Amino acid sequence: MCTCIDFTTKDHYFGRTLDLEYRFDEKVVITPRNYCFALKNGTTIRTRYAMIGMASVKENYPLYAEATNEKGLSIAGLNFPGNACFFPEDKSRFNLTPYELFPYFLGLYSTVADLREILPDLNITDIPLSEDIPLAELHWMISDGTECIILEQMEDGLKIYDNPVGILTNNPPFSYHLANLNNYMNLTPCCPENRFSDKLNLQQYGMGMGAIGLPGDSSPSSRFVKASFTKLNSVCEKDEMSSVTQFFHILGSVSIVKGTTLTKDGLDDLTTYACCMNTTRGIYYYKTYNNSQITALRMTGREKCRKTLCIHDLIDTQQVRYVN
């Protein structure tokens, strides 16, 4: 389970929580310009644009969970089990495997508008990287700071949705999440009015009562509503530190605490990390479950022009600042 957020103040920010019951040897990885990717459709590409994000690396191939490129185009893949459907290769279509969307889209494109030209012909195929690395069932949120879209390939084909909310979670499909927001249109951050009955003198007895009914559980549909309400009603200064701090507060409203959500196998599903990317400046900020201090990595000019991947291990031990 995960929650992805698109957020703009002076700069554009894009990030997510990664909620899993296991770790996947994730690291912050910078892929430079002119990096070669051999695609399963038999072609090879070299990236025009560098990218930074969280990935596991298999034989010099970064398998990104989310990333942004130096032009500000950003993608996140979120779990979509039971609904995601990947097809065999179709020679009449443009074929990419799920994990190839990141290097192809971010390596070659700079805007959502440019991507829209190729998406109608896209066929997301069922070819894994290798026999021992099965495909993850995903759907994707893509943004460039001016447009935000959702990609979902299900049994009846590829669907492309405009995303006016700038939020994505997991199942059900995105169309359900948008329609479900109608059930919460009466919620407000303001003090509530008595609409129950004019025959009763009902009074507010505490702050926040205008949002009574806002979901607080960790299910995907509830997190979508909670994150949407929190983001769309949040107030933030436009400077970098205020924006990054606010972004992590929004993500924190839907973070999952260890022990509160168990899988069918009795494992703890928790927010293993949360990230915020300043896509305008190419900065990747993150926290982990074990380390709540914000760590930042920049996509510098030197790293954009390297010949190899730049791989950074996570700082996953709690950092405490003692003042006495």
Side-chain angles (χ1 to χ4, degrees):
M1 299 194 297
C2 310
T3 305
C4 187
I5 296 175
D6 186 54
F7 186 69
T8 301
T9 55
K10 178 182 178 182
D11 291 341
H12 176 240
Y13 301 86
F14 185 92
R16 56 100 61 81
T17 59
L18 196 291
D19 308 325
L20 277 176
E21 68 274 20
Y22 60 88
R23 305 300 290 269
F24 57 97
D25 195 26
E26 64 270 27
K27 305 176 189 297
V28 180
V29 180
I30 300 173
T31 299
R33 300 167 186 157
N34 206 37
Y35 194 78
C36 182
F37 286 93
L39 305 179
K40 293 296 186 180
N41 63 19
T43 65
T44 299
I45 63 166
R46 287 192 175 273
T47 56
R48 297 189 190 113
Y49 308 119
M51 65 193 80
I52 185 171
M54 193 74 80
S56 60
V57 179
K58 307 297 182 183
E59 298 180 355
N60 295 316
Y61 199 115
L63 300 170
Y64 282 108
E66 78 288 325
T68 188
N69 71 11
E70 59 185 293
K71 295 296 184 179
L73 183 65
S74 307
I75 309 177
L78 282 73
N79 202 26
F80 197 44
N83 281 313
C85 185
F86 306 136
F87 301 122
E89 190 172 23
D90 181 349
K91 296 297 184 181
S92 68
R93 306 282 301 279
F94 172 54
N95 298 283
L96 290 174
T97 64
Y99 57 86
E100 290 173 343
L101 299 186
F102 284 91
Y104 196 92
F105 289 177
L106 298 185
L108 301 180
Y109 291 86
S110 59
T111 66
V112 171
D114 290 338
L115 271 182
R116 286 184 186 274
E117 296 181 7
I118 67 167
L119 291 180
D121 293 326
L122 177 63
N123 175 46
I124 304 176
T125 62
D126 56 3
I127 307 172
L129 180 66
S130 62
E131 291 184 0
D132 60 335
I133 305 176
L135 291 175
E137 297 179 272
L138 303 174
H139 58 174
W140 295 267
M141 187 159 105
I142 306 174
S143 176
D144 61 7
T146 58
E147 292 186 84
C148 184
I149 61 173
I150 302 299
L151 292 187
E152 292 180 344
Q153 186 169 282
M154 298 190 290
E155 190 174 3
D156 57 349
L158 181 68
K159 301 180 185 299
I160 306 165
Y161 298 99
D162 291 324
N163 184 355
V165 186
I167 301 289
L168 182 63
T169 56
N170 313 102
N171 290 327
F174 182 70
S175 57
Y176 168 88
H177 289 301
L178 279 185
N180 186 44
L181 289 180
N182 289 295
N183 294 320
Y184 300 92
M185 68 171 68
N186 198 46
L187 300 187
T188 174
C190 303
C191 297
E193 299 177 5
N194 176 16
R195 297 175 179 171
F196 189 88
S197 172
D198 58 7
K199 298 179 177 63
L200 297 174
N201 184 26
L202 301 180
Q203 299 291 326
Q204 175 177 320
Y205 55 81
M207 299 306 298
M209 293 176 63
I212 289 177
L214 182 66
D217 62 86
S218 58
S219 67
S221 58
S222 292
R223 284 184 286 108
F224 189 95
V225 175
K226 180 73 177 291
S228 297
F229 180 87
T230 305
K231 174 201 161 182
L232 295 174
N233 288 292
S234 68
V235 177
C236 183
E237 301 297 328
K238 296 185 180 297
D239 63 280
E240 180 71 356
M241 287 301 96
S242 295
S243 300
V244 172
T245 299
Q246 187 77 334
F247 196 99
F248 278 109
H249 278 306
I250 297 169
L251 287 179
S253 72
V254 290
S255 293
I256 300 177
V257 176
K258 184 176 182 179
T260 64
T261 305
L262 301 178
T263 69
K264 291 181 179 180
D265 296 324
L267 301 176
D268 287 304
D269 190 8
L270 55 88
T271 299
T272 59
Y273 73 84
C275 70
C276 168
M277 296 177 284
N278 182 323
T279 73
T280 308
R281 304 184 191 183
I283 306 173
Y284 187 96
Y285 301 91
Y286 73 89
K287 297 179 179 181
T288 71
Y289 192 88
N290 297 320
N291 179 18
S292 55
Q293 182 186 66
I294 297 173
T295 303
L297 290 133
R298 298 181 179 90
M299 187 163 50
T300 67
R302 178 181 178 182
E303 290 167 325
K304 292 175 186 176
C305 298
R306 286 168 56 110
K307 301 298 183 183
T308 59
L309 299 175
C310 186
I311 303 172
H312 295 270
D313 290 332
L314 300 190
I315 300 175
D316 197 30
T317 303
Q318 188 65 271
Q319 307 294 301
V320 178
R321 180 181 179 181
Y322 289 94
V323 297
N324 64 0

